[in-house]
Amino acid sequence: METHEALHIMKVLALTTFHQEGLELYGQRFIDTFAQNVDKQIDLIVYTENCTPTNPQPERIQIVDAKAVLPKLNAFKEKWKDEPKANGICPPDIKARRPKDWHKKFKWDAIRFANKVYAVYDACKQTQYDLVIWIDGDTVCHSPITQDKLVSFFPEQNWLAYLGRGKKWPECGFYALYIKQQGAIDFLKEFERVYEDADNGIFKMEEWHDSYVFDEVLKKIRLQHPNITDLSGHLVKGEGHPLINTELGAYFDHLKGARKQVGKSKLQDLFRKRHEEYWKDAR
């Protein structure tokens, strides 16, 4: 009797988070375009901060209150809420070394970026999924994409796919983890540790926004688990705008910074020609 090995069906989860201002400026658009254009097999969790988005597809989109489901985030914010160094104020010793950028508050605003980091921890504990993808809430899912196509950008033999920027820290607006692989397990454990034990973690680093911390943890974990995919390090050096210049740009636009007000990335952001309908009126 002929037997057939059961095919493994990939289970994919995307996640994001935003607050009321973000909801009004870009968050609802993200949810709506995700519902419209991202394969219905892919689930989404939105961790909200004091806001209530409209859910167009409750059967696959979960909208949850971060305060209700992320107790470690609540504890982190409570512990560090009155500490200047955790709220964008560069410590004196670092300030002395950084005359050109010590005033850039985002680099030392651990409270602000903790929302995103703790949401990732929580989503990756949902072990019914194989692949978990972080997507910044100021992203537009502008063109239809199947699960097979999306997954094809993230080789399954590699535990992480991310947007590298050469020697600069990664762009963490979009990254994907195969959460059952040991590299991802070790990475997430250390990523959580450096926040939970912040005095011996993030506050021993030179900066502590999420992308810098991500990079520092990755440098450590990749020594034992080097099998990762850098989607954009060969395209972008320095600041740049990596996502839209990778193959992902055929389906997604990341409205970094002032692009949120415009509603689309700029033509000058593109280092390569894009032929998709969405990009034809980019200015």
Side-chain angles (χ1 to χ4, degrees):
M1 179 177 177
E2 185 179 0
T3 60
H4 297 277
E5 184 178 348
L7 293 175
H8 172 64
I9 300 174
M10 179 80 67
K11 289 288 293 178
V12 182
L13 173 68
L15 73 142
T16 197
T17 185
F18 45 74
H19 45 42
Q20 181 65 40
E21 182 182 355
L23 170 64
E24 295 170 2
L25 188 57
Y26 52 79
Q28 190 63 55
R29 184 182 183 188
F30 169 75
I31 294 173
D32 292 343
T33 58
F34 183 97
Q36 178 180 355
N37 288 319
V38 177
D39 195 315
K40 301 301 185 287
Q41 296 180 79
I42 299 174
D43 294 336
L44 171 68
I45 300 179
V46 180
Y47 293 86
T48 62
E49 303 166 42
N50 302 312
C51 65
T52 308
T54 299
N55 189 346
Q57 291 179 346
E59 68 277 8
R60 69 166 178 140
I61 298 175
Q62 295 182 58
I63 296 176
V64 297
D65 180 356
K67 285 186 177 179
V69 301
L70 302 178
K72 288 184 177 181
L73 171 63
N74 298 333
F76 180 89
K77 287 185 171 184
E78 181 63 27
K79 181 175 182 178
W80 298 107
K81 64 181 181 181
D82 299 318
E83 181 64 49
K85 69 178 181 181
N87 291 273
I89 306 302
C90 182
D93 60 320
I94 296 179
K95 182 177 179 180
R97 299 194 296 271
R98 307 283 289 268
K100 294 183 178 181
D101 67 350
W102 62 267
H103 61 285
K104 295 181 178 179
K105 291 188 174 183
F106 82 90
K107 294 189 174 187
W108 295 279
D109 198 341
I111 293 288
R112 171 186 169 188
F113 290 103
N115 295 285
K116 173 177 178 176
V117 176
Y118 278 92
V120 171
Y121 304 154
D122 186 69
C124 289
K125 290 175 182 174
Q126 304 205 37
T127 55
Q128 70 268 37
Y129 295 99
D130 302 291
L131 179 67
V132 173
I133 305 171
W134 167 267
I135 309 177
D136 270 8
D138 56 352
T139 298
V140 180
C141 310
H142 61 75
S143 299
I145 185 168
T146 66
Q147 175 168 302
D148 287 347
K149 185 63 179 179
L150 182 59
V151 170
S152 74
F153 299 133
F154 317 132
E156 198 169 354
Q157 69 271 22
N158 294 343
W159 60 269
L160 168 70
Y162 72 107
L163 297 169
R165 295 190 292 182
K167 294 182 179 179
K168 192 177 177 68
W169 62 75
E171 163 59 71
C172 281
F174 193 111
Y175 60 90
L177 290 158
Y178 283 101
I179 60 171
K180 295 174 184 176
Q181 292 197 30
Q182 193 60 48
I185 292 168
D186 291 352
F187 175 86
L188 289 163
K189 182 178 179 180
E190 177 65 6
F191 205 15
E192 182 174 35
R193 183 199 69 79
V194 297
Y195 280 84
E196 287 294 281
D197 186 17
D199 279 327
N200 294 300
I202 59 173
F203 296 137
K204 285 188 174 291
M205 300 178 185
E206 189 72 7
E207 301 174 17
W208 33 83
H209 55 92
D210 68 304
S211 292
Y212 191 93
V213 176
F214 180 101
D215 194 36
E216 290 297 292
V217 174
L218 179 57
K219 287 175 183 176
K220 178 178 180 179
I221 300 303
R222 70 188 301 178
L223 295 175
Q224 294 296 320
H225 304 287
N227 50 324
I228 59 177
T229 301
D230 182 346
L231 296 163
S232 57
H234 62 297
L235 297 170
V236 178
K237 308 295 181 186
E239 190 62 32
H241 194 356
L243 184 139
I244 63 172
N245 288 289
T246 69
E247 294 302 319
L248 292 165
Y251 310 96
F252 302 97
D253 183 12
H254 184 196
L255 308 182
K256 296 173 58 176
R259 299 171 186 84
K260 295 176 183 60
Q261 281 74 28
V262 177
K264 181 174 285 193
S265 290
K266 307 170 187 175
L267 190 61
Q268 68 189 47
D269 293 326
L270 294 169
F271 307 146
R272 54 178 291 183
K273 285 188 177 181
R274 302 229 66 106
H275 303 288
E276 298 81 22
E277 188 66 30
Y278 174 84
W279 295 107
K280 288 183 178 178
D281 62 351
R283 297 174 180 237

